[in-house]
Amino acid sequence: MTDLRTLFDAGVAAVHGDTSVTASLAAKPVAAPDRIIAVGKAATAMARAAHVLFPETPLLIVTKYHHADGAPAAAEVIEAAHPVLDENSISAGARVLEAVQNMAAGSHLMLLVSGGASALAEAPADGMSLDDLKNRAQQMLASGADIHAMNAARTKASQIKGGKLLGAFRGTRVTTLAISDVEGDSLQVIGSGIGAAPAQPAFSFDARIVASNAIARAAVRQTASDAGLTVGHDEETLYADVNVVASRIAGALKDASAGVHLFGGEPTVVLPPNPGQGGRNQALALLLAREIVDVEGLQILVAGTDGTDGPTDAAGAIIDGATWDASGQEALDRADAGAWLQARGALLKTGPTGTNVMDLVIARKS
């Protein structure tokens, strides 16, 4: 039997940092860069693939705490906080900016960018303190602001976002490889544009999206089809508040035919003061459990492809029609879905996955 975890793992494997970078550089080779900088939750996996091809190139990795396992021994590694930045985020931003500024005329820079870069590396604009940045980040996360609004605010407060980092580059060539964790796969939005070029770059610029939610869903779809399962819904539509998304998905699944149904994207969630444990995927999973209570033959996995749902060590959860009981509403009201799901053995924990292409909802209906 092909279970939901198997399908999720197939999707994640297709967009792994190692796999994606290796495939892109095999399809379109580049000359050896003079420096490689990798920033994001998938930075270690992406950097590892580039290091195999260019073992003599100096390598700087900036990633989330506990996401550096497997980094090449020769790499300079800085770990920092996500989703709210910390002192190491500022140190990392300064180091990245310094490395780019110090590259010689005629040099070639390779940037490897993945989701999470916005918090992991920051060089504040004049007049902005770390506390200012942290308070703004916490307020925007709690407000349910979408990624576009958050990135616009981040860019204004930064010396390295929105193409500003590469505005400091004095070489002749930049290759940016990015794993997309945003709707539309725009390089200007991924990592708040840390790997994007300025409006009129004075260098040759080769930018590629090497992995996306669509690629992950295609792998899930293929794995399900190979197992003889019918695939119905396959949509990237998780772009609304979790309450709206839960109602929409539950309605679609109740009316759907038997088989596997896929949804991708990244919903938002509004948090109360002093929220409990959990992230948007755990909140969505609990909301879906409420929506499908007593519906038989329907099981749903909701998870972040990076393996970390918000400020937790869970990727999400797997629920069915028997998961819900009335105490779940109180957990939803206090934004404590994680603790509630954990007590019922419903959490999905994968550890860091080496990628980040937003979230997947995978449902199987019999």
mmCIF file of all heavy atoms in Angstrom, residues 218-270:
data_model
loop_
_atom_site.group_PDB
_atom_site.id
_atom_site.type_symbol
_atom_site.label_atom_id
_atom_site.label_comp_id
_atom_site.label_asym_id
_atom_site.label_seq_id
_atom_site.Cartn_x
_atom_site.Cartn_y
_atom_site.Cartn_z
ATOM 1 N N ALA A 218 4.143 17.143 -8.978
ATOM 2 C CA ALA A 218 4.267 16.236 -10.128
ATOM 3 C C ALA A 218 4.859 14.901 -9.699
ATOM 4 O O ALA A 218 4.442 13.834 -10.184
ATOM 5 C CB ALA A 218 5.118 16.872 -11.211
ATOM 6 N N ALA A 219 5.816 14.934 -8.774
ATOM 7 C CA ALA A 219 6.419 13.692 -8.288
ATOM 8 C C ALA A 219 5.432 12.886 -7.457
ATOM 9 O O ALA A 219 5.387 11.654 -7.543
ATOM 10 C CB ALA A 219 7.668 14.010 -7.472
ATOM 11 N N VAL A 220 4.619 13.575 -6.637
ATOM 12 C CA VAL A 220 3.577 12.884 -5.876
ATOM 13 C C VAL A 220 2.583 12.244 -6.833
ATOM 14 O O VAL A 220 2.187 11.073 -6.663
ATOM 15 C CB VAL A 220 2.854 13.866 -4.928
ATOM 16 C CG1 VAL A 220 1.688 13.163 -4.232
ATOM 17 C CG2 VAL A 220 3.820 14.442 -3.899
ATOM 18 N N ARG A 221 2.183 13.001 -7.823
ATOM 19 C CA ARG A 221 1.215 12.492 -8.807
ATOM 20 C C ARG A 221 1.752 11.255 -9.524
ATOM 21 O O ARG A 221 1.044 10.256 -9.694
ATOM 22 C CB ARG A 221 0.898 13.598 -9.823
ATOM 23 C CG ARG A 221 -0.197 13.232 -10.811
ATOM 24 C CD ARG A 221 -0.614 14.430 -11.642
ATOM 25 N NE ARG A 221 0.477 14.956 -12.450
ATOM 26 C CZ ARG A 221 1.038 16.157 -12.284
ATOM 27 N NH1 ARG A 221 0.607 16.958 -11.330
ATOM 28 N NH2 ARG A 221 2.014 16.567 -13.059
ATOM 29 N N GLN A 222 3.028 11.301 -9.915
ATOM 30 C CA GLN A 222 3.625 10.171 -10.627
ATOM 31 C C GLN A 222 3.722 8.947 -9.727
ATOM 32 O O GLN A 222 3.439 7.817 -10.153
ATOM 33 C CB GLN A 222 5.013 10.545 -11.143
ATOM 34 C CG GLN A 222 5.662 9.489 -12.017
ATOM 35 C CD GLN A 222 4.867 9.225 -13.277
ATOM 36 O OE1 GLN A 222 4.588 10.144 -14.037
ATOM 37 N NE2 GLN A 222 4.475 7.975 -13.509
ATOM 38 N N THR A 223 4.114 9.155 -8.480
ATOM 39 C CA THR A 223 4.224 8.039 -7.535
ATOM 40 C C THR A 223 2.867 7.396 -7.299
ATOM 41 O O THR A 223 2.740 6.162 -7.247
ATOM 42 C CB THR A 223 4.825 8.536 -6.206
ATOM 43 O OG1 THR A 223 6.098 9.117 -6.455
ATOM 44 C CG2 THR A 223 4.980 7.386 -5.218
ATOM 45 N N ALA A 224 1.841 8.228 -7.154
ATOM 46 C CA ALA A 224 0.486 7.691 -6.966
ATOM 47 C C ALA A 224 0.039 6.916 -8.204
ATOM 48 O O ALA A 224 -0.516 5.811 -8.094
ATOM 49 C CB ALA A 224 -0.481 8.831 -6.668
ATOM 50 N N SER A 225 0.285 7.469 -9.383
ATOM 51 C CA SER A 225 -0.119 6.799 -10.624
ATOM 52 C C SER A 225 0.608 5.477 -10.797
ATOM 53 O O SER A 225 0.017 4.468 -11.216
ATOM 54 C CB SER A 225 0.157 7.710 -11.826
ATOM 55 O OG SER A 225 -0.626 8.882 -11.758
ATOM 56 N N ASP A 226 1.902 5.471 -10.461
ATOM 57 C CA ASP A 226 2.688 4.237 -10.564
ATOM 58 C C ASP A 226 2.146 3.142 -9.648
ATOM 59 O O ASP A 226 2.319 1.944 -9.921
ATOM 60 C CB ASP A 226 4.153 4.503 -10.223
ATOM 61 C CG ASP A 226 4.866 5.329 -11.293
ATOM 62 O OD1 ASP A 226 4.319 5.464 -12.399
ATOM 63 O OD2 ASP A 226 5.969 5.838 -11.000
ATOM 64 N N ALA A 227 1.515 3.570 -8.552
ATOM 65 C CA ALA A 227 0.939 2.612 -7.605
ATOM 66 C C ALA A 227 -0.493 2.225 -7.984
ATOM 67 O O ALA A 227 -1.165 1.518 -7.227
ATOM 68 C CB ALA A 227 0.959 3.201 -6.203
ATOM 69 N N GLY A 228 -0.949 2.715 -9.131
ATOM 70 C CA GLY A 228 -2.285 2.373 -9.590
ATOM 71 C C GLY A 228 -3.389 3.207 -8.991
ATOM 72 O O GLY A 228 -4.575 2.832 -9.075
ATOM 73 N N LEU A 229 -3.027 4.342 -8.396
ATOM 74 C CA LEU A 229 -4.026 5.202 -7.774
ATOM 75 C C LEU A 229 -4.461 6.301 -8.742
ATOM 76 O O LEU A 229 -3.641 6.874 -9.465
ATOM 77 C CB LEU A 229 -3.449 5.846 -6.509
ATOM 78 C CG LEU A 229 -2.986 4.872 -5.415
ATOM 79 C CD1 LEU A 229 -2.259 5.627 -4.317
ATOM 80 C CD2 LEU A 229 -4.181 4.112 -4.848
ATOM 81 N N THR A 230 -5.735 6.610 -8.733
ATOM 82 C CA THR A 230 -6.254 7.712 -9.541
ATOM 83 C C THR A 230 -5.942 9.034 -8.853
ATOM 84 O O THR A 230 -6.091 9.163 -7.630
ATOM 85 C CB THR A 230 -7.777 7.577 -9.711
ATOM 86 O OG1 THR A 230 -8.063 6.343 -10.353
ATOM 87 C CG2 THR A 230 -8.331 8.727 -10.537
ATOM 88 N N VAL A 231 -5.476 10.014 -9.622
ATOM 89 C CA VAL A 231 -5.200 11.340 -9.073
ATOM 90 C C VAL A 231 -6.273 12.309 -9.554
ATOM 91 O O VAL A 231 -6.495 12.463 -10.758
ATOM 92 C CB VAL A 231 -3.806 11.839 -9.493
ATOM 93 C CG1 VAL A 231 -3.554 13.237 -8.924
ATOM 94 C CG2 VAL A 231 -2.734 10.870 -9.008
ATOM 95 N N GLY A 232 -6.941 12.946 -8.605
ATOM 96 C CA GLY A 232 -7.993 13.894 -8.935
ATOM 97 C C GLY A 232 -7.491 15.320 -8.876
ATOM 98 O O GLY A 232 -6.748 15.765 -9.740
ATOM 99 N N HIS A 233 -7.868 16.042 -7.842
ATOM 100 C CA HIS A 233 -7.427 17.433 -7.699
ATOM 101 C C HIS A 233 -5.897 17.524 -7.666
ATOM 102 O O HIS A 233 -5.228 16.736 -6.995
ATOM 103 C CB HIS A 233 -7.982 18.037 -6.403
ATOM 104 C CG HIS A 233 -9.458 18.205 -6.392
ATOM 105 N ND1 HIS A 233 -10.093 19.282 -6.969
ATOM 106 C CD2 HIS A 233 -10.445 17.424 -5.876
ATOM 107 C CE1 HIS A 233 -11.397 19.167 -6.811
ATOM 108 N NE2 HIS A 233 -11.644 18.048 -6.143
ATOM 109 N N ASP A 234 -5.357 18.487 -8.376
ATOM 110 C CA ASP A 234 -3.930 18.807 -8.326
ATOM 111 C C ASP A 234 -3.822 20.308 -8.533
ATOM 112 O O ASP A 234 -3.772 20.794 -9.660
ATOM 113 C CB ASP A 234 -3.154 18.038 -9.403
ATOM 114 C CG ASP A 234 -1.654 18.321 -9.350
ATOM 115 O OD1 ASP A 234 -1.214 19.070 -8.449
ATOM 116 O OD2 ASP A 234 -0.931 17.813 -10.228
ATOM 117 N N GLU A 235 -3.810 21.054 -7.426
ATOM 118 C CA GLU A 235 -3.944 22.509 -7.489
ATOM 119 C C GLU A 235 -2.948 23.193 -6.552
ATOM 120 O O GLU A 235 -2.629 22.664 -5.490
ATOM 121 C CB GLU A 235 -5.359 22.933 -7.063
ATOM 122 C CG GLU A 235 -6.492 22.218 -7.778
ATOM 123 C CD GLU A 235 -7.836 22.461 -7.108
ATOM 124 O OE1 GLU A 235 -7.874 23.203 -6.108
ATOM 125 O OE2 GLU A 235 -8.839 21.900 -7.581
ATOM 126 N N GLU A 236 -2.489 24.369 -6.961
ATOM 127 C CA GLU A 236 -1.682 25.203 -6.073
ATOM 128 C C GLU A 236 -2.552 26.370 -5.638
ATOM 129 O O GLU A 236 -2.516 27.456 -6.215
ATOM 130 C CB GLU A 236 -0.423 25.688 -6.785
ATOM 131 C CG GLU A 236 0.573 26.378 -5.845
ATOM 132 C CD GLU A 236 1.875 26.750 -6.519
ATOM 133 O OE1 GLU A 236 2.411 25.896 -7.260
ATOM 134 O OE2 GLU A 236 2.347 27.878 -6.329
ATOM 135 N N THR A 237 -3.358 26.116 -4.627
ATOM 136 C CA THR A 237 -4.402 27.078 -4.238
ATOM 137 C C THR A 237 -4.422 27.387 -2.746
ATOM 138 O O THR A 237 -5.393 27.975 -2.252
ATOM 139 C CB THR A 237 -5.779 26.542 -4.647
ATOM 140 O OG1 THR A 237 -5.971 25.228 -4.091
ATOM 141 C CG2 THR A 237 -5.922 26.469 -6.161
ATOM 142 N N LEU A 238 -3.383 27.040 -2.018
ATOM 143 C CA LEU A 238 -3.385 27.252 -0.570
ATOM 144 C C LEU A 238 -2.961 28.674 -0.220
ATOM 145 O O LEU A 238 -2.080 28.894 0.616
ATOM 146 C CB LEU A 238 -2.460 26.250 0.125
ATOM 147 C CG LEU A 238 -2.711 24.773 -0.133
ATOM 148 C CD1 LEU A 238 -1.719 23.927 0.670
ATOM 149 C CD2 LEU A 238 -4.136 24.395 0.236
ATOM 150 N N TYR A 239 -3.577 29.657 -0.863
ATOM 151 C CA TYR A 239 -3.174 31.041 -0.665
ATOM 152 C C TYR A 239 -4.310 31.856 -0.065
ATOM 153 O O TYR A 239 -4.906 32.711 -0.701
ATOM 154 C CB TYR A 239 -2.719 31.651 -1.993
ATOM 155 C CG TYR A 239 -1.517 30.960 -2.585
ATOM 156 C CD1 TYR A 239 -1.609 30.279 -3.787
ATOM 157 C CD2 TYR A 239 -0.291 30.971 -1.924
ATOM 158 C CE1 TYR A 239 -0.507 29.636 -4.333
ATOM 159 C CE2 TYR A 239 0.825 30.328 -2.461
ATOM 160 C CZ TYR A 239 0.701 29.670 -3.655
ATOM 161 O OH TYR A 239 1.794 29.019 -4.196
ATOM 162 N N ALA A 240 -4.628 31.561 1.189
ATOM 163 C CA ALA A 240 -5.656 32.297 1.923
ATOM 164 C C ALA A 240 -5.486 31.952 3.400
ATOM 165 O O ALA A 240 -4.630 31.140 3.775
ATOM 166 C CB ALA A 240 -7.056 31.918 1.426
ATOM 167 N N ASP A 241 -6.306 32.565 4.241
ATOM 168 C CA ASP A 241 -6.298 32.236 5.665
ATOM 169 C C ASP A 241 -6.643 30.757 5.846
ATOM 170 O O ASP A 241 -7.427 30.184 5.086
ATOM 171 C CB ASP A 241 -7.321 33.109 6.385
ATOM 172 C CG ASP A 241 -7.373 32.814 7.868
ATOM 173 O OD1 ASP A 241 -6.554 33.364 8.614
ATOM 174 O OD2 ASP A 241 -8.248 32.008 8.281
ATOM 175 N N VAL A 242 -6.054 30.132 6.861
ATOM 176 C CA VAL A 242 -6.251 28.695 7.065
ATOM 177 C C VAL A 242 -7.723 28.320 7.226
ATOM 178 O O VAL A 242 -8.132 27.226 6.822
ATOM 179 C CB VAL A 242 -5.449 28.180 8.285
ATOM 180 C CG1 VAL A 242 -3.966 28.158 7.999
ATOM 181 C CG2 VAL A 242 -5.753 28.995 9.540
ATOM 182 N N ASN A 243 -8.528 29.194 7.783
ATOM 183 C CA ASN A 243 -9.959 28.889 7.933
ATOM 184 C C ASN A 243 -10.644 28.792 6.576
ATOM 185 O O ASN A 243 -11.442 27.884 6.331
ATOM 186 C CB ASN A 243 -10.636 29.963 8.789
ATOM 187 C CG ASN A 243 -10.185 29.935 10.228
ATOM 188 O OD1 ASN A 243 -10.661 29.140 11.022
ATOM 189 N ND2 ASN A 243 -9.251 30.814 10.566
ATOM 190 N N VAL A 244 -10.315 29.709 5.689
ATOM 191 C CA VAL A 244 -10.875 29.695 4.339
ATOM 192 C C VAL A 244 -10.386 28.477 3.576
ATOM 193 O O VAL A 244 -11.158 27.772 2.907
ATOM 194 C CB VAL A 244 -10.494 30.990 3.594
ATOM 195 C CG1 VAL A 244 -10.951 30.931 2.139
ATOM 196 C CG2 VAL A 244 -11.083 32.202 4.299
ATOM 197 N N VAL A 245 -9.086 28.202 3.683
ATOM 198 C CA VAL A 245 -8.496 27.061 2.976
ATOM 199 C C VAL A 245 -9.108 25.754 3.458
ATOM 200 O O VAL A 245 -9.442 24.870 2.650
ATOM 201 C CB VAL A 245 -6.966 27.055 3.169
ATOM 202 C CG1 VAL A 245 -6.366 25.741 2.679
ATOM 203 C CG2 VAL A 245 -6.340 28.228 2.421
ATOM 204 N N ALA A 246 -9.284 25.602 4.764
ATOM 205 C CA ALA A 246 -9.846 24.357 5.302
ATOM 206 C C ALA A 246 -11.250 24.105 4.772
ATOM 207 O O ALA A 246 -11.588 22.987 4.367
ATOM 208 C CB ALA A 246 -9.857 24.412 6.824
ATOM 209 N N SER A 247 -12.069 25.134 4.773
ATOM 210 C CA SER A 247 -13.441 24.977 4.282
ATOM 211 C C SER A 247 -13.455 24.613 2.800
ATOM 212 O O SER A 247 -14.205 23.734 2.366
ATOM 213 C CB SER A 247 -14.207 26.283 4.513
ATOM 214 O OG SER A 247 -15.512 26.187 4.006
ATOM 215 N N ARG A 248 -12.596 25.270 2.030
ATOM 216 C CA ARG A 248 -12.538 25.031 0.589
ATOM 217 C C ARG A 248 -12.071 23.607 0.279
ATOM 218 O O ARG A 248 -12.673 22.907 -0.544
ATOM 219 C CB ARG A 248 -11.592 26.051 -0.040
ATOM 220 C CG ARG A 248 -11.457 25.958 -1.547
ATOM 221 C CD ARG A 248 -10.292 26.807 -2.035
ATOM 222 N NE ARG A 248 -10.449 28.198 -1.631
ATOM 223 C CZ ARG A 248 -9.429 29.046 -1.480
ATOM 224 N NH1 ARG A 248 -8.190 28.619 -1.658
ATOM 225 N NH2 ARG A 248 -9.647 30.296 -1.147
ATOM 226 N N ILE A 249 -10.995 23.174 0.935
ATOM 227 C CA ILE A 249 -10.450 21.843 0.657
ATOM 228 C C ILE A 249 -11.410 20.753 1.123
ATOM 229 O O ILE A 249 -11.640 19.758 0.419
ATOM 230 C CB ILE A 249 -9.078 21.665 1.325
ATOM 231 C CG1 ILE A 249 -8.053 22.577 0.658
ATOM 232 C CG2 ILE A 249 -8.619 20.213 1.238
ATOM 233 C CD1 ILE A 249 -6.703 22.548 1.319
ATOM 234 N N ALA A 250 -11.965 20.926 2.312
ATOM 235 C CA ALA A 250 -12.889 19.919 2.823
ATOM 236 C C ALA A 250 -14.083 19.759 1.886
ATOM 237 O O ALA A 250 -14.524 18.631 1.603
ATOM 238 C CB ALA A 250 -13.353 20.299 4.223
ATOM 239 N N GLY A 251 -14.604 20.857 1.392
ATOM 240 C CA GLY A 251 -15.722 20.774 0.460
ATOM 241 C C GLY A 251 -15.348 20.039 -0.813
ATOM 242 O O GLY A 251 -16.122 19.201 -1.306
ATOM 243 N N ALA A 252 -14.167 20.335 -1.328
ATOM 244 C CA ALA A 252 -13.712 19.668 -2.546
ATOM 245 C C ALA A 252 -13.534 18.175 -2.314
ATOM 246 O O ALA A 252 -13.896 17.349 -3.165
ATOM 247 C CB ALA A 252 -12.402 20.288 -3.027
ATOM 248 N N LEU A 253 -12.996 17.803 -1.157
ATOM 249 C CA LEU A 253 -12.731 16.389 -0.890
ATOM 250 C C LEU A 253 -14.005 15.600 -0.619
ATOM 251 O O LEU A 253 -14.117 14.434 -0.996
ATOM 252 C CB LEU A 253 -11.764 16.265 0.291
ATOM 253 C CG LEU A 253 -10.330 16.743 0.025
ATOM 254 C CD1 LEU A 253 -9.502 16.683 1.302
ATOM 255 C CD2 LEU A 253 -9.672 15.917 -1.070
ATOM 256 N N LYS A 254 -14.958 16.221 0.034
ATOM 257 C CA LYS A 254 -16.221 15.518 0.286
ATOM 258 C C LYS A 254 -16.918 15.153 -1.024
ATOM 259 O O LYS A 254 -17.572 14.115 -1.126
ATOM 260 C CB LYS A 254 -17.127 16.380 1.155
ATOM 261 C CG LYS A 254 -16.671 16.492 2.608
ATOM 262 C CD LYS A 254 -17.557 17.459 3.382
ATOM 263 C CE LYS A 254 -17.068 17.659 4.808
ATOM 264 N NZ LYS A 254 -17.892 18.649 5.543
ATOM 265 N N ASP A 255 -16.768 16.013 -2.019
ATOM 266 C CA ASP A 255 -17.417 15.780 -3.316
ATOM 267 C C ASP A 255 -16.535 15.004 -4.293
ATOM 268 O O ASP A 255 -16.987 14.650 -5.389
ATOM 269 C CB ASP A 255 -17.787 17.122 -3.965
ATOM 270 C CG ASP A 255 -18.861 17.872 -3.191
ATOM 271 O OD1 ASP A 255 -19.620 17.213 -2.457
ATOM 272 O OD2 ASP A 255 -18.928 19.106 -3.314
ATOM 273 N N ALA A 256 -15.286 14.753 -3.910
ATOM 274 C CA ALA A 256 -14.326 14.153 -4.838
ATOM 275 C C ALA A 256 -14.542 12.652 -4.985
ATOM 276 O O ALA A 256 -15.112 11.987 -4.104
ATOM 277 C CB ALA A 256 -12.905 14.418 -4.352
ATOM 278 N N SER A 257 -14.038 12.139 -6.073
ATOM 279 C CA SER A 257 -14.063 10.699 -6.293
ATOM 280 C C SER A 257 -12.934 10.034 -5.524
ATOM 281 O O SER A 257 -12.041 10.709 -4.983
ATOM 282 C CB SER A 257 -13.921 10.404 -7.784
ATOM 283 O OG SER A 257 -12.722 10.974 -8.279
ATOM 284 N N ALA A 258 -12.935 8.724 -5.476
ATOM 285 C CA ALA A 258 -11.880 7.985 -4.786
ATOM 286 C C ALA A 258 -10.544 8.222 -5.472
ATOM 287 O O ALA A 258 -10.471 8.391 -6.689
ATOM 288 C CB ALA A 258 -12.208 6.499 -4.769
ATOM 289 N N GLY A 259 -9.488 8.249 -4.678
ATOM 290 C CA GLY A 259 -8.156 8.428 -5.232
ATOM 291 C C GLY A 259 -7.342 9.397 -4.389
ATOM 292 O O GLY A 259 -7.659 9.669 -3.226
ATOM 293 N N VAL A 260 -6.290 9.932 -4.995
ATOM 294 C CA VAL A 260 -5.382 10.871 -4.334
ATOM 295 C C VAL A 260 -5.671 12.278 -4.837
ATOM 296 O O VAL A 260 -5.906 12.488 -6.033
ATOM 297 C CB VAL A 260 -3.915 10.492 -4.623
ATOM 298 C CG1 VAL A 260 -2.957 11.565 -4.102
ATOM 299 C CG2 VAL A 260 -3.587 9.139 -3.993
ATOM 300 N N HIS A 261 -5.641 13.237 -3.920
ATOM 301 C CA HIS A 261 -5.923 14.627 -4.264
ATOM 302 C C HIS A 261 -4.836 15.509 -3.658
ATOM 303 O O HIS A 261 -4.474 15.352 -2.486
ATOM 304 C CB HIS A 261 -7.304 15.030 -3.755
ATOM 305 C CG HIS A 261 -8.395 14.153 -4.287
ATOM 306 N ND1 HIS A 261 -9.029 14.393 -5.486
ATOM 307 C CD2 HIS A 261 -8.935 12.990 -3.794
ATOM 308 C CE1 HIS A 261 -9.915 13.450 -5.715
ATOM 309 N NE2 HIS A 261 -9.885 12.592 -4.700
ATOM 310 N N LEU A 262 -4.317 16.442 -4.457
ATOM 311 C CA LEU A 262 -3.150 17.237 -4.076
ATOM 312 C C LEU A 262 -3.468 18.717 -4.085
ATOM 313 O O LEU A 262 -4.138 19.219 -4.993
ATOM 314 C CB LEU A 262 -1.997 16.995 -5.053
ATOM 315 C CG LEU A 262 -1.654 15.558 -5.415
ATOM 316 C CD1 LEU A 262 -0.560 15.541 -6.479
ATOM 317 C CD2 LEU A 262 -1.228 14.792 -4.177
ATOM 318 N N PHE A 263 -2.923 19.415 -3.081
ATOM 319 C CA PHE A 263 -3.040 20.869 -3.018
ATOM 320 C C PHE A 263 -1.699 21.419 -2.541
ATOM 321 O O PHE A 263 -1.061 20.847 -1.649
ATOM 322 C CB PHE A 263 -4.145 21.289 -2.047
ATOM 323 C CG PHE A 263 -5.489 20.684 -2.347
ATOM 324 C CD1 PHE A 263 -5.828 19.427 -1.857
ATOM 325 C CD2 PHE A 263 -6.404 21.360 -3.141
ATOM 326 C CE1 PHE A 263 -7.063 18.856 -2.131
ATOM 327 C CE2 PHE A 263 -7.645 20.796 -3.427
ATOM 328 C CZ PHE A 263 -7.976 19.546 -2.922
ATOM 329 N N GLY A 264 -1.270 22.534 -3.112
ATOM 330 C CA GLY A 264 0.002 23.131 -2.709
ATOM 331 C C GLY A 264 -0.142 24.619 -2.485
ATOM 332 O O GLY A 264 -1.132 25.244 -2.876
ATOM 333 N N GLY A 265 0.880 25.199 -1.858
ATOM 334 C CA GLY A 265 0.907 26.630 -1.604
ATOM 335 C C GLY A 265 1.295 26.910 -0.172
ATOM 336 O O GLY A 265 1.962 26.106 0.481
ATOM 337 N N GLU A 266 0.856 28.066 0.345
ATOM 338 C CA GLU A 266 1.218 28.439 1.712
ATOM 339 C C GLU A 266 0.137 29.345 2.290
ATOM 340 O O GLU A 266 0.064 30.522 1.941
ATOM 341 C CB GLU A 266 2.574 29.144 1.725
ATOM 342 C CG GLU A 266 3.110 29.421 3.107
ATOM 343 C CD GLU A 266 4.539 29.930 3.078
ATOM 344 O OE1 GLU A 266 5.425 29.162 2.672
ATOM 345 O OE2 GLU A 266 4.756 31.102 3.429
ATOM 346 N N PRO A 267 -0.710 28.804 3.156
ATOM 347 C CA PRO A 267 -1.765 29.628 3.751
ATOM 348 C C PRO A 267 -1.204 30.553 4.831
ATOM 349 O O PRO A 267 -0.045 30.452 5.234
ATOM 350 C CB PRO A 267 -2.708 28.590 4.360
ATOM 351 C CG PRO A 267 -1.825 27.434 4.689
ATOM 352 C CD PRO A 267 -0.774 27.410 3.611
ATOM 353 N N THR A 268 -2.040 31.449 5.285
ATOM 354 C CA THR A 268 -1.667 32.354 6.364
ATOM 355 C C THR A 268 -2.517 32.052 7.590
ATOM 356 O O THR A 268 -3.571 31.422 7.508
ATOM 357 C CB THR A 268 -1.873 33.820 5.960
ATOM 358 O OG1 THR A 268 -3.243 34.024 5.578
ATOM 359 C CG2 THR A 268 -0.967 34.190 4.800
ATOM 360 N N VAL A 269 -2.046 32.525 8.738
ATOM 361 C CA VAL A 269 -2.786 32.321 9.978
ATOM 362 C C VAL A 269 -2.635 33.564 10.846
ATOM 363 O O VAL A 269 -1.558 34.157 10.916
ATOM 364 C CB VAL A 269 -2.283 31.058 10.724
ATOM 365 C CG1 VAL A 269 -0.816 31.170 11.096
ATOM 366 C CG2 VAL A 269 -3.132 30.774 11.954
ATOM 367 N N VAL A 270 -3.731 33.985 11.468
ATOM 368 C CA VAL A 270 -3.714 35.112 12.392
ATOM 369 C C VAL A 270 -3.599 34.563 13.805
ATOM 370 O O VAL A 270 -4.385 33.695 14.208
ATOM 371 C CB VAL A 270 -4.987 35.967 12.254
ATOM 372 C CG1 VAL A 270 -4.973 37.113 13.267
ATOM 373 C CG2 VAL A 270 -5.105 36.510 10.838
#
